[in-house]
Amino acid sequence: RKEVEQDPGPFNVPEGATVAFNCTYSNSASQSFFWYRQDCRKEPKLLMSVYSSGNEDGRFTAQLNRASQYISLLIRDSKLSDSATYLCVVLSTGNQFYFGTGTSLTVIP
Amino acid sequence: EAQVTQNPRYLITVTGKKLTVTCSQNMNHEYMSWYRQDPGLGLRQIYYSMNVEVTDKGDVPEGYKVSRKEKRNFPLILESPSPNQTSLYFCASSSEPRPTDTQYFGPGTRLTVL
């Protein structure tokens, strides 16, 4: 079983739409959780960390459900510039990172 | 400017010819890491280092070596490259020994092994 699993998509949504991505992880003792964004095989960049209480950064909201071992990312009012691949990342026990395969988002004018 | 640099950015080589991909960061970060990215498999961690002279295997260490003699540098060594090591490689660093903080990635190295 993979450590981190994501729906690869693609998600094609119109501008202004709300879109949600989910990610599940297998190790219940995992320590930290993140969403990264990757544009067209460039380097990944941190979008936001995910906290147990949930956190929001502008149009982006991240949630963590430890009981069900899933992480979510909600994007409101999608912009063309949001088109990218979104990577779910988990810091497992020890100091090792596990990445999901990514979810592809295309925002259509 | 705070950054992680990798060299070379692109490399085509032949099976068995030893190569080194360099990685350097100027942020005085403790934690450094190497990943490879392959279609359908995502990023997978090869090796990581918590500090100078401390390195640990990640998910896919076979066929790779690393060293951490200085805090800023973390080279990836392929002693005898094979075609299945053709991939996109990323180096990353973060400030904490326990990397709960942001990882900063280098621009990537595209390696082709013929």
Side-chain angles (χ1 to χ4, degrees):
Chain A
R1 183 183 173 188
K2 287 185 179 178
E3 292 277 340
V4 179
E5 300 214 48
Q6 284 182 258
D7 179 352
F11 285 66
N12 300 314
V13 303
E15 265 187 296
T18 296
V19 61
F21 306 138
N22 290 325
C23 162
T24 59
Y25 60 96
S26 61
N27 186 346
S28 59
S30 295
Q31 305 174 54
S32 302
F33 310 89
F34 310 87
W35 284 101
Y36 277 73
R37 171 191 169 131
Q38 186 175 28
D39 293 284
C40 202
R41 302 288 271 180
K42 292 192 175 179
E43 71 272 23
K45 293 184 180 177
L46 180 70
L47 181 65
M48 56 199 307
S49 301
V50 187
Y51 304 118
S52 296
S53 54
N55 47 303
E56 189 173 308
D57 182 3
R59 298 182 292 108
F60 299 85
T61 301
Q63 297 276 354
L64 168 64
N65 185 321
R66 281 194 182 269
S68 301
Q69 293 177 213
Y70 81 78
I71 307 148
S72 65
L73 177 68
L74 183 77
I75 306 175
R76 291 181 299 277
D77 188 23
S78 299
K79 311 289 185 195
L80 296 176
S81 56
D82 293 335
S83 298
T85 297
Y86 291 83
L87 306 173
C88 174
V89 183
V90 173
L91 176 62
S92 191
T93 51
N95 294 292
Q96 193 166 335
F97 284 93
Y98 291 93
F99 282 69
T101 53
T103 300
S104 173
L105 171 66
T106 300
V107 180
I108 303 160
Chain B
E1 181 191 353
Q3 59 183 354
V4 179
T5 56
Q6 294 179 229
N7 282 293
R9 294 288 313 279
Y10 303 89
L11 180 60
I12 300 174
T13 189
V14 296
T15 299
K17 187 176 181 182
K18 181 180 177 180
L19 66 93
T20 299
V21 184
T22 63
C23 172
S24 184
Q25 50 92 4
N26 63 359
M27 296 169 278
N28 202 36
H29 283 170
E30 305 276 351
Y31 185 91
M32 296 187 74
S33 183
W34 274 104
Y35 298 88
R36 61 177 290 174
Q37 185 172 30
D38 303 287
L41 297 176
L43 278 96
R44 292 177 294 167
Q45 197 167 28
I46 303 171
Y47 270 94
Y48 61 95
S49 170
M50 302 270 283
N51 212 327
V52 175
E53 302 293 2
V54 180
T55 62
D56 286 288
K57 294 178 181 178
D59 226 15
V60 287
E62 294 78 22
Y64 304 95
K65 285 173 59 176
V66 292
S67 68
R68 188 92 184 270
K69 293 187 170 60
E70 308 163 279
K71 200 173 193 179
R72 63 182 292 128
N73 295 322
F74 190 44
L76 180 70
I77 303 153
L78 284 73
E79 295 270 4
S80 183
S82 62
N84 64 12
Q85 293 178 298
T86 293
S87 188
L88 175 59
Y89 291 86
F90 288 105
C91 179
S93 72
S94 67
S95 59
E96 299 293 322
R98 286 175 61 81
T100 56
D101 206 349
T102 307
Q103 281 195 91
Y104 295 88
F105 284 79
T109 296
R110 291 189 181 274
L111 172 65
T112 301
V113 183
L114 301 174

